Amino acid sequence: MPQIRVVDVSHSFHTEQGDFPVLKPLDFIIEREQFLSILGPSGCGKTTLLKILAGLIQPSAGGIQHEIDGEAVDDLRVGMMFQQANLMPWRTIVENVLLPLQLKTPRLHRSVMVARAISILETVGLCGYENMRINEISGGMAQRVALARAMIHDPQLLLLDEPFGSLDALTRESMGEELLRVWQTHKKTVVMVTHSVSEAILLSDRVIVFSRRPSSIVLDIEIKLPRPREAGIRYSAEFSEYSAMIHTSIAQ
């Protein structure tokens, strides 16, 4: 699992009115198998950074380095999950999960693909739902499918962009606990953008808070709550202290 270095990354969007700066130079390391959450005001560039980490856009300056034991790694397997599940309604659940494998490893035998898809569906609690259609399942189940799809090719880096933002509060809390369980089982490096301070504290090893645009880092804090974590830890004094600190930094 590589260590990921964000090296003096800044970004501006080019518009008819001129350059629109989003990110000031950012310089930090994402440790291997770390769960990192990023919070900050709307429009501050959190999703832009995720897209840079995914290689979907090139930063205006700086770059992303992947290293294993100090040696550079060129190729990084990345999975990405968005706020909307973006599933294909004409496909069954298992066919939606298979899609990345069909695109990236088309020569892999279908039986191997299906076995892998069923295994990951079992991991996210969807065993027995493989042949259902997307319009037959709830929003929370759809996000489980999206998570399974993001993990099907065994990514080294999992990027989550407000993955539960479209869900109701109870389902969102349940999905956060499910993601925590999956992460503790598979130990991926995870970077998650969220607007929920509670969600970030519960799930993360570390929380970074961005300032208003153009963004810089105003808080970079390690979450030292013991693992494995249960939902009840939200009511502890330590949890409240982290929450107050993060809320204060967001309000700056």
Side-chain angles (χ1 to χ4, degrees):
M1 197 72 69
Q3 180 186 71
I4 300 166
R5 291 179 177 268
V6 178
V7 183
D8 291 327
V9 166
S10 61
H11 193 70
S12 298
F13 290 107
H14 303 295
T15 70
E16 293 180 356
Q17 289 74 36
D19 286 350
F20 186 74
V22 177
L23 298 175
K24 290 182 179 179
L26 303 174
D27 201 301
F28 62 93
I29 294 173
I30 305 168
E31 299 292 348
R32 64 190 65 185
E33 298 183 359
Q34 185 174 69
F35 197 120
L36 169 66
S37 286
I38 301 175
L39 295 99
S42 295
C44 70
K46 302 182 295 294
T47 296
T48 298
L49 178 61
L50 280 197
K51 290 179 179 179
I52 291 172
L53 288 169
L56 297 177
I57 61 176
Q58 292 299 311
S60 301
I64 307 297
Q65 298 176 359
H66 313 133
E67 299 176 352
I68 296 180
D69 297 329
E71 298 292 327
V73 179
D74 292 330
D75 193 21
L76 185 72
R77 295 191 306 277
V78 178
M80 195 159 186
M81 183 178 170
F82 301 93
Q83 182 172 345
Q84 300 297 329
N86 296 321
L87 302 174
M88 297 179 177
W90 59 90
R91 282 179 169 241
T92 62
I93 286 177
V94 72
E95 290 293 339
N96 269 279
V97 174
L98 284 175
L99 186 60
L101 290 182
Q102 293 170 333
L103 294 174
K104 296 179 186 225
T105 56
R107 294 183 181 180
L108 194 63
H109 196 278
R110 179 174 172 82
S111 63
V112 176
M113 291 188 190
V114 171
R116 191 180 299 181
I118 290 175
S119 176
I120 200 69
L121 283 169
E122 184 174 359
T123 299
V124 300
L126 289 177
C127 182
Y129 293 91
E130 298 89 349
N131 296 314
M132 293 186 70
R133 300 282 178 178
I134 302 306
N135 62 359
E136 297 174 327
I137 62 176
S138 67
M141 291 175 70
Q143 288 301 91
R144 290 172 188 254
V145 177
L147 177 58
R149 183 180 60 187
M151 294 184 62
I152 187 64
H153 62 293
D154 192 26
Q156 296 163 305
L157 174 62
L158 185 60
L159 302 174
L160 309 174
D161 189 7
E162 274 287 331
F164 312 130
S166 63
L167 304 177
D168 64 83
L170 290 177
T171 305
R172 179 172 187 152
E173 186 172 315
S174 173
M175 281 300 303
E177 294 167 15
E178 183 71 18
L179 176 59
L180 184 60
R181 184 187 64 79
V182 171
W183 176 82
Q184 287 174 165
T185 301
H186 290 271
K187 285 293 187 180
K188 303 294 181 186
T189 302
V190 177
V191 181
M192 180 178 73
V193 165
T194 179
H195 285 100
S196 170
V197 173
S198 177
E199 185 174 81
I201 298 170
L202 177 67
L203 297 176
S204 306
D205 299 307
R206 177 182 172 200
V207 171
I208 286 177
V209 177
F210 279 3
S211 68
R212 297 188 183 278
R213 188 182 60 241
S215 298
S216 59
I217 295 173
V218 295
L219 181 69
D220 187 343
I221 185 172
E222 183 181 355
I223 305 297
K224 295 182 179 179
L225 298 173
R227 291 190 185 275
R229 295 177 190 162
E230 302 294 337
I233 203 169
R234 298 175 190 265
Y235 308 109
S236 68
E238 295 87 352
F239 198 99
S240 296
E241 289 172 7
Y242 283 122
S243 180
M245 190 181 306
I246 293 169
H247 275 292
T248 298
S249 67
I250 292 174
Q252 290 178 355

